[in-house]
Amino acid sequence: MRPFIEDESFRIQGLRFIDVLPRLDDDEALLRHCQEYFDTDALRLPLPFRWCLRKPGIYGPLIVQAVRRFMGMLSGQFMGGATPDEAMTTIESLRRRDMGFSLDILGEAVVSEREADAYQEHYLKLIDEITPRLQQWPSLQRLDKVDGTRGPRLYLSLKVTSLYSQINPLDVRGSIEGISGRLRPILLAARRNRAFVCIDMEQYAFKEIILKCFKTVLMEPELVDWCDVGIAMQAYLRESERDVKEMIEWARERGTPVTIRLVRGAYWDFETVIAKQQGWAVPIWEEKPQTDACYERCLALLLAHYPTVRTAVATHNIRSLALAMVLAEEFGLSVGQFEFQMLFGMAESLQSAISALGYCLRIYVPFGEAIPGMAYLVRRLLENASNQSFLQMGVSQEYDPDELLPPPCTSAVDATSAVALGTSVGNDGTGSELLPGFRNEPLFRFNRAEERQQFAAAIDEVRSQLGEAYPLFVNGSALLTGSTIESRNPARPQELVGAVAAADAAHVDRAVEGAAAAFIDWSALGMEQRAHLLLRAAARLRKRRARFAAWEIFEAGKTWREADANVTEAIDFLEYYARQAIHLGSGGRLDLPGEQNFFGFRPLGVGVVIPPWNFPLAILTGMLSAAIVTGNTVIVKPSSQTPVIAARFVRLLHETGLPAGVVQFLPGAGGTVGEHLVRHPNVHFIAFTGSEAVGTRIIELASKLAPGQHHIKRVIAEMGGKNAIIVDSDADLDDAVVGVIRSAFGYQGQKCSACSRMIIVGTQYDELLERLIEAARSLKIGMPEEPGNYMGPVIEAAARKRILGAIEQGRKVVRLALHVECSVVGSGYFVGPTIFSRVPPDSDLAQKEIFGPVLSVMEANTLDEALAIANHSSYALTGGFYSRSPANIERVKREFQVGNLYINRPITGALVGRQPFGGFRLSGTGSKAGGPDYLQQFLNPCTVTENTLRRGFAPSL
Ligand code: NAD
């Protein structure tokens, strides 16, 4: 264990290697991974070791044997066996040492309802099978008596997230229903069999659901008077003291005690990384002494409230253990009225000491297969290796006794004040290297009731504004015209979202003329002034973000998270381009004696912005803000499916103080108003995002010189994709299934970045496909304004018809593995997740963009084959790779030809500044939205050189 602890890079590499090991069945793969992980210059391993790795012919079998033995030893140390029988042997040996147990069946990631059923089944079976065996044990006063009466023999620990695959912090009620449907039978079986069940606490995102679920189920008539049940609470959370108080209050009202297992918390790294990545307040105490102090406060609270609650003091920390003993004595608690708990394989000398002192000590014993057990094992190793861990500081030989002194922080901080709505806190590295001062707008976390209520209130407010009329904006005047575009809710087509005035050719001419007039003053303003206008617009949008998101729900059929992400992206574009414009505005100089050189930019002139409907706010805002901040004036022709959101954004810009004529708003049919704009001789550029067919048509039209036109029109075109995710033979399949599902079916597959091809390498095809099908089948489909739904409708009737047509065509030639029928959902344009299996790489299914929830799965024997299939496309937008082979990851980075490549994560959701977005081939002209060189496309570069030498005299530099 020592090297893990002492060398950071070896520790990381070692943990990563351990993580992939259970997936390496064959020796060749194991050896190859050994070489890839450990024969690297970065690690500086001793030369003899590296030399052995390089001679696999001689040392290979030895290395394989040693690694497998090491793995066995590790699992043996922290896990109580692979099967119930092995676990039985473990708990029997604990009992011989006067120690109790709590069994936990490993299996954390549940991606489908079928897997959740299986997890429930395991627990029910375990209770049935093991209880009679335990009854034969001779009684042990210390362990078998609770409060002087006979207590349960079988103790179980349970992760409720494994009981429901669609758990969703947004949908607390639905999640509780989903979990309790499977939890209730387990609890009833436990009660019948006199077993004890403790609910584990997991990631912060699920805390509210877990606590509420616990309280809800235990108030049900069949369970309200049952006391053999408990829940873990984590002292590393800033909110834990408040939660403990609420739990005590609840237990008092219930009238029957429950046990609280007080732990510090095992997801420290995870919670910190996720919060920092997302720009959220870190929910846990960041310094170990703060957690220690919180643990002690919670401990005192709990022990003081015996018998309302019983306490399981789950810690390996000597100071906490000692404090518990002292407090128990102070409160007059005897053995049997509280207990200690420790983890199997951790701090064994401490375990023996506590047991020798006569206390009741229960050991948490996880058991199960190696693959589902990996997450647990890695958590234990991380804990053992963390330099903040008490095990390292307190139990090792060299601990500093001062570490055991009272923790410096003893006052509780109001946690809620630190987690303000949508505030960006401590998100180091989120784009700051790319552009100083820029931070991505954090998404709503949705795990706080206030956030959800704010969002729900915005939906209600917007609902009351549906059906309004929206005018054109030409030269600062609002114009209603004779014809309108009716925007309808795709989830409920009878609902009119808004009636937007439609322009005609005459309006186009007036708008271009007005934009040309406005260009004179607007282009003369400095970049900085224009940038400040963008920043003001960002601030205004930020204030109204929930309302704008609600409009997306009604007009574009986006679910809550998708809608929120689109609005934050729009804010990001405004913030990012404003800063970049300021940066560009200063230009560049290179002065020599007698010669001044200036390099700068000039705006192009009048432009047209043509966005698609699928990111109706973000893409519109991105193209529009880039165009105007650089000094151009524009005419916006919104998509006819989402003109209301566009109208509202243009209105917001004008409210912000945008001069009349800088942005004209001209809704209308693409083929008439759109084309008229593109052909117009006074238009200088077209910023377009949409389909390949329309994009290439615009490029063609724009390339023709109209009479009187003295410039070449520039076209910035972002187009379609047929994006693939390759899953390598050593990939983490839990991650891969979740990532592919999110990429393929998020927003109903209607993202240009969506995954529509999945390529599975090696022999895992059937297993992975099966899991994927079940995961897709489990997704909740319904009205997008209901927060529990994962999928809403597709954008319009024509889209639904087109997608269903493609499915019909596809099933004539390829096996349809899944098509979820949506007829029950209502009159909306719903299409369920659809998966085709063993799709030929040349077929239409694998080559044509369908732009809906349709996934083609393909098989490849090798990574060579997989890459060839992935690159065999006329598009090159996004791509993904799930793998734990460092060499394969490097290779894919080089050879996968896409604009945006994602490794071991979903392929949608690019963030401004962090993942500049855009593709090549027929996916686009190669520009990168939200990237460092995007603005230059809206500018003409120019150089000014002045000879400052006059009669041999030059000003000094
Ligand atoms: P679309 O091409 O049908 O329409 C896009 C826009 O072009 C709309 O505003 C439409 O009114 C307008 N338009 C249509 N015909 C026109 C014409 N002849 N002249 C001028 N304008 C015309 O695309 P869509 O259905 O709105 O969006 C879906 C497509 O967009 C998909 O192909 C998707 O991959 C692509 N997309 C690409 C990106 C990217 O960044 N690469 C992002 C989002 C969407």
mmCIF file of all heavy atoms in Angstrom, residues 907-930:
data_model
loop_
_atom_site.group_PDB
_atom_site.id
_atom_site.type_symbol
_atom_site.label_atom_id
_atom_site.label_comp_id
_atom_site.label_asym_id
_atom_site.label_seq_id
_atom_site.Cartn_x
_atom_site.Cartn_y
_atom_site.Cartn_z
ATOM 1 N N ILE A 907 -21.464 12.980 -25.363
ATOM 2 C CA ILE A 907 -20.904 13.818 -26.431
ATOM 3 C C ILE A 907 -21.727 15.068 -26.697
ATOM 4 O O ILE A 907 -21.465 15.796 -27.645
ATOM 5 C CB ILE A 907 -20.708 13.020 -27.744
ATOM 6 C CG1 ILE A 907 -22.059 12.525 -28.309
ATOM 7 C CG2 ILE A 907 -19.767 11.857 -27.531
ATOM 8 C CD1 ILE A 907 -21.924 11.888 -29.691
ATOM 9 N N THR A 908 -22.725 15.316 -25.879
ATOM 10 C CA THR A 908 -23.489 16.560 -26.027
ATOM 11 C C THR A 908 -23.150 17.497 -24.868
ATOM 12 O O THR A 908 -22.494 17.087 -23.912
ATOM 13 C CB THR A 908 -25.000 16.272 -26.025
ATOM 14 O OG1 THR A 908 -25.312 15.551 -24.826
ATOM 15 C CG2 THR A 908 -25.415 15.443 -27.216
ATOM 16 N N GLY A 909 -23.622 18.736 -24.981
ATOM 17 C CA GLY A 909 -23.461 19.663 -23.847
ATOM 18 C C GLY A 909 -22.139 20.411 -23.837
ATOM 19 O O GLY A 909 -21.598 20.682 -22.758
ATOM 20 N N ALA A 910 -21.630 20.774 -25.021
ATOM 21 C CA ALA A 910 -20.388 21.559 -25.062
ATOM 22 C C ALA A 910 -20.600 22.891 -24.347
ATOM 23 O O ALA A 910 -21.656 23.501 -24.474
ATOM 24 C CB ALA A 910 -19.993 21.815 -26.510
ATOM 25 N N LEU A 911 -19.606 23.323 -23.608
ATOM 26 C CA LEU A 911 -19.710 24.587 -22.893
ATOM 27 C C LEU A 911 -18.894 25.669 -23.579
ATOM 28 O O LEU A 911 -17.777 25.416 -24.042
ATOM 29 C CB LEU A 911 -19.186 24.418 -21.460
ATOM 30 C CG LEU A 911 -20.073 23.605 -20.513
ATOM 31 C CD1 LEU A 911 -19.383 23.434 -19.177
ATOM 32 C CD2 LEU A 911 -21.422 24.280 -20.329
ATOM 33 N N VAL A 912 -19.457 26.845 -23.626
ATOM 34 C CA VAL A 912 -18.770 27.989 -24.240
ATOM 35 C C VAL A 912 -17.411 28.179 -23.555
ATOM 36 O O VAL A 912 -17.308 28.115 -22.335
ATOM 37 C CB VAL A 912 -19.639 29.258 -24.066
ATOM 38 C CG1 VAL A 912 -18.887 30.508 -24.493
ATOM 39 C CG2 VAL A 912 -20.939 29.102 -24.853
ATOM 40 N N GLY A 913 -16.393 28.396 -24.356
ATOM 41 C CA GLY A 913 -15.066 28.639 -23.810
ATOM 42 C C GLY A 913 -14.334 27.368 -23.448
ATOM 43 O O GLY A 913 -13.154 27.212 -23.736
ATOM 44 N N ARG A 914 -15.028 26.427 -22.828
ATOM 45 C CA ARG A 914 -14.372 25.182 -22.420
ATOM 46 C C ARG A 914 -14.306 24.175 -23.557
ATOM 47 O O ARG A 914 -13.335 23.460 -23.712
ATOM 48 C CB ARG A 914 -15.112 24.569 -21.228
ATOM 49 C CG ARG A 914 -14.420 24.891 -19.924
ATOM 50 C CD ARG A 914 -15.392 24.891 -18.790
ATOM 51 N NE ARG A 914 -15.722 23.553 -18.316
ATOM 52 C CZ ARG A 914 -16.473 23.342 -17.236
ATOM 53 N NH1 ARG A 914 -16.921 24.359 -16.546
ATOM 54 N NH2 ARG A 914 -16.740 22.131 -16.842
ATOM 55 N N GLN A 915 -15.387 24.087 -24.310
ATOM 56 C CA GLN A 915 -15.397 23.159 -25.449
ATOM 57 C C GLN A 915 -15.897 23.913 -26.686
ATOM 58 O O GLN A 915 -17.058 23.749 -27.087
ATOM 59 C CB GLN A 915 -16.313 21.963 -25.162
ATOM 60 C CG GLN A 915 -15.819 21.032 -24.083
ATOM 61 C CD GLN A 915 -16.615 21.142 -22.788
ATOM 62 O OE1 GLN A 915 -17.732 21.631 -22.770
ATOM 63 N NE2 GLN A 915 -16.023 20.669 -21.703
ATOM 64 N N PRO A 916 -15.056 24.770 -27.278
ATOM 65 C CA PRO A 916 -15.478 25.470 -28.504
ATOM 66 C C PRO A 916 -16.069 24.455 -29.476
ATOM 67 O O PRO A 916 -15.525 23.367 -29.663
ATOM 68 C CB PRO A 916 -14.180 26.064 -29.031
ATOM 69 C CG PRO A 916 -13.314 26.204 -27.821
ATOM 70 C CD PRO A 916 -13.659 25.058 -26.927
ATOM 71 N N PHE A 917 -17.210 24.814 -30.099
ATOM 72 C CA PHE A 917 -17.992 23.788 -30.776
ATOM 73 C C PHE A 917 -18.134 24.011 -32.275
ATOM 74 O O PHE A 917 -18.435 25.118 -32.721
ATOM 75 C CB PHE A 917 -19.389 23.742 -30.149
ATOM 76 C CG PHE A 917 -20.230 22.642 -30.692
ATOM 77 C CD1 PHE A 917 -20.054 21.340 -30.243
ATOM 78 C CD2 PHE A 917 -21.162 22.881 -31.688
ATOM 79 C CE1 PHE A 917 -20.811 20.301 -30.761
ATOM 80 C CE2 PHE A 917 -21.923 21.849 -32.219
ATOM 81 C CZ PHE A 917 -21.746 20.566 -31.751
ATOM 82 N N GLY A 918 -17.965 22.952 -33.037
ATOM 83 C CA GLY A 918 -18.223 23.017 -34.478
ATOM 84 C C GLY A 918 -17.474 21.921 -35.213
ATOM 85 O O GLY A 918 -16.470 21.405 -34.712
ATOM 86 N N GLY A 919 -17.991 21.564 -36.394
ATOM 87 C CA GLY A 919 -17.376 20.455 -37.109
ATOM 88 C C GLY A 919 -16.882 20.843 -38.485
ATOM 89 O O GLY A 919 -16.909 22.014 -38.865
ATOM 90 N N PHE A 920 -16.423 19.830 -39.216
ATOM 91 C CA PHE A 920 -15.960 20.070 -40.581
ATOM 92 C C PHE A 920 -16.613 19.063 -41.518
ATOM 93 O O PHE A 920 -17.668 18.534 -41.196
ATOM 94 C CB PHE A 920 -14.426 20.075 -40.659
ATOM 95 C CG PHE A 920 -13.743 18.893 -40.020
ATOM 96 C CD1 PHE A 920 -13.360 17.797 -40.767
ATOM 97 C CD2 PHE A 920 -13.486 18.891 -38.649
ATOM 98 C CE1 PHE A 920 -12.726 16.717 -40.177
ATOM 99 C CE2 PHE A 920 -12.843 17.803 -38.058
ATOM 100 C CZ PHE A 920 -12.468 16.719 -38.815
ATOM 101 N N ARG A 921 -16.028 18.776 -42.661
ATOM 102 C CA ARG A 921 -16.711 18.045 -43.744
ATOM 103 C C ARG A 921 -18.095 18.694 -43.964
ATOM 104 O O ARG A 921 -18.198 19.913 -43.937
ATOM 105 C CB ARG A 921 -16.859 16.560 -43.398
ATOM 106 C CG ARG A 921 -15.529 15.821 -43.376
ATOM 107 C CD ARG A 921 -15.748 14.331 -43.313
ATOM 108 N NE ARG A 921 -14.505 13.648 -43.019
ATOM 109 C CZ ARG A 921 -14.419 12.473 -42.429
ATOM 110 N NH1 ARG A 921 -15.509 11.824 -42.074
ATOM 111 N NH2 ARG A 921 -13.249 11.918 -42.221
ATOM 112 N N LEU A 922 -19.163 17.895 -44.068
ATOM 113 C CA LEU A 922 -20.470 18.515 -44.305
ATOM 114 C C LEU A 922 -21.129 18.990 -43.011
ATOM 115 O O LEU A 922 -22.295 19.383 -43.008
ATOM 116 C CB LEU A 922 -21.390 17.548 -45.053
ATOM 117 C CG LEU A 922 -20.971 17.259 -46.488
ATOM 118 C CD1 LEU A 922 -21.970 16.328 -47.181
ATOM 119 C CD2 LEU A 922 -20.828 18.557 -47.296
ATOM 120 N N SER A 923 -20.384 18.940 -41.930
ATOM 121 C CA SER A 923 -20.932 19.448 -40.659
ATOM 122 C C SER A 923 -20.734 20.942 -40.512
ATOM 123 O O SER A 923 -21.274 21.546 -39.584
ATOM 124 C CB SER A 923 -20.275 18.752 -39.468
ATOM 125 O OG SER A 923 -20.674 17.412 -39.409
ATOM 126 N N GLY A 924 -19.935 21.541 -41.358
ATOM 127 C CA GLY A 924 -19.782 22.981 -41.210
ATOM 128 C C GLY A 924 -18.528 23.511 -41.855
ATOM 129 O O GLY A 924 -17.691 22.760 -42.366
ATOM 130 N N THR A 925 -18.423 24.816 -41.786
ATOM 131 C CA THR A 925 -17.296 25.469 -42.442
ATOM 132 C C THR A 925 -16.069 25.514 -41.529
ATOM 133 O O THR A 925 -15.096 26.191 -41.825
ATOM 134 C CB THR A 925 -17.699 26.887 -42.881
ATOM 135 O OG1 THR A 925 -18.402 27.516 -41.798
ATOM 136 C CG2 THR A 925 -18.608 26.863 -44.088
ATOM 137 N N GLY A 926 -16.161 24.814 -40.418
ATOM 138 C CA GLY A 926 -14.960 24.657 -39.590
ATOM 139 C C GLY A 926 -14.797 25.688 -38.494
ATOM 140 O O GLY A 926 -13.809 25.667 -37.774
ATOM 141 N N SER A 927 -15.776 26.564 -38.342
ATOM 142 C CA SER A 927 -15.612 27.560 -37.276
ATOM 143 C C SER A 927 -16.011 26.947 -35.944
ATOM 144 O O SER A 927 -16.686 25.934 -35.889
ATOM 145 C CB SER A 927 -16.494 28.766 -37.569
ATOM 146 O OG SER A 927 -17.843 28.358 -37.532
ATOM 147 N N LYS A 928 -15.576 27.583 -34.891
ATOM 148 C CA LYS A 928 -15.837 27.042 -33.555
ATOM 149 C C LYS A 928 -16.632 28.049 -32.727
ATOM 150 O O LYS A 928 -16.064 29.045 -32.233
ATOM 151 C CB LYS A 928 -14.512 26.757 -32.847
ATOM 152 C CG LYS A 928 -13.821 25.507 -33.355
ATOM 153 C CD LYS A 928 -14.496 24.286 -32.794
ATOM 154 C CE LYS A 928 -13.746 23.017 -33.102
ATOM 155 N NZ LYS A 928 -14.586 21.828 -32.891
ATOM 156 N N ALA A 929 -17.919 27.795 -32.573
ATOM 157 C CA ALA A 929 -18.731 28.685 -31.739
ATOM 158 C C ALA A 929 -18.230 28.602 -30.297
ATOM 159 O O ALA A 929 -17.887 27.523 -29.815
ATOM 160 C CB ALA A 929 -20.191 28.253 -31.808
ATOM 161 N N GLY A 930 -18.162 29.755 -29.644
ATOM 162 C CA GLY A 930 -17.682 29.757 -28.259
ATOM 163 C C GLY A 930 -16.195 29.478 -28.155
ATOM 164 O O GLY A 930 -15.709 29.043 -27.116
#
